[in-house]
Amino acid sequence: MDESKAKADLQRYLRSARDALVWKLEGLGEYDARRPHTATGSNLLGLLKHAAGVELDYFGQVFGRPCPDAPAWVGAEGEPNHDMWATAEESRADILALAHTAWAHADATIAALPLDAVGRVPWWAEARREVTLHQILVHVIADLQRHAGHADILREGIDGAAGLQAGNDNLPPVDADWWAAYRERLERVAREAEAR
C-alpha cells in the first residue's frame, strides 16, 4: 500500500472519532454538556477538551512541532484531570475552537511527515519513547475512539440518543417498546446467571 493511501485510511478513522465527539454535544444545554456522569467525573465537553489536548501533544510536542496557538495547559503538568473538564470561563465555542486548532495542527503534521518519521514521547517510559508517526496515529485513533465510546454512553444516559454517527446510528430499526423488552430480557438473564 502506498503511503498516501495508508495516511488517508488512518485519517478517516481519526476524523470519525473527532466527528463523534462533537456530534455527541449537539443539541445539549451547557449543564448536560459539562456535568459529571460518572464517579470519575466523565463529561462530554471534557472528553472533547481532552481529545484536543491529546492531538496537540502527540502531533505537536512529540514531533518537535508545537502548536503556537495551544493553551498553556497543553503539555504542562497540572492538577490531575485538568484537561478532562471545561472551566466555567471556557465556553463550548472555546473548546470547539481548540479542537479545530488541534485538528488543523495534527493534520498539518501528518501531511508534512512520512509515516516512518521518528518522534519522542517524553511522558512514556524511556524504553518506549522513540516512536514513528504511524505508531502515534494508531495510538491517537485508539485513544479518541475509546473516548468516543465513552461519549456515546454518556449521551445515551442523558437523553437516550445513541449510535455511531449523525444520520447512521447503526442500531436496529426498532421502537422504544422493543428496547424496553430487550433490556428487561437482559436483566432477567443476568439475574438467572447470577443465581446459578
Side-chain angles (χ1 to χ4, degrees), residues 18-97:
R18 292 168 175 171
D19 292 346
L21 287 167
V22 171
W23 177 51
K24 293 302 175 178
L25 287 164
E26 286 181 12
L28 293 179
E30 286 301 315
Y31 176 71
D32 282 331
R34 295 167 179 268
R35 71 181 168 104
H37 296 272
T38 67
T40 58
S42 295
N43 64 92
L44 291 168
L45 195 57
L47 288 171
L48 181 61
K49 180 179 176 179
H50 170 73
V54 164
E55 289 204 52
L56 288 168
D57 278 339
Y58 280 105
F59 295 111
Q61 183 179 352
V62 167
F63 293 99
R65 297 172 53 90
C67 178
D69 300 323
W73 59 262
V74 172
E77 289 296 319
E79 161 188 350
N81 277 5
H82 67 279
D83 65 332
M84 296 295 291
W85 59 284
T87 67
E89 293 77 30
E90 292 174 311
S91 70
R92 183 188 312 217
D94 292 337
I95 301 302
L96 284 167

Side-chain angles (χ1 to χ4, degrees), residues 58-143:
Y58 280 105
F59 295 111
Q61 183 179 352
V62 167
F63 293 99
R65 297 172 53 90
C67 178
D69 300 323
W73 59 262
V74 172
E77 289 296 319
E79 161 188 350
N81 277 5
H82 67 279
D83 65 332
M84 296 295 291
W85 59 284
T87 67
E89 293 77 30
E90 292 174 311
S91 70
R92 183 188 312 217
D94 292 337
I95 301 302
L96 284 167
L98 173 65
H100 287 284
T101 296
W103 302 343
H105 189 75
D107 291 346
T109 296
I110 295 163
L113 301 176
L115 288 173
D116 62 357
V118 175
R120 285 185 56 76
V121 183
W123 53 91
W124 286 7
E126 184 63 42
R128 297 178 42 237
R129 285 187 182 166
E130 190 169 293
V131 295
T132 64
L133 178 61
H134 181 260
Q135 287 173 291
I136 291 304
L137 269 160
V138 171
H139 177 81
V140 171
I141 290 165
D143 189 58

Side-chain angles (χ1 to χ4, degrees), residues 149-160:
H150 295 149
D152 195 33
I153 291 168
L154 296 181
R155 181 64 189 255
E156 186 175 354
I158 294 169
D159 62 6

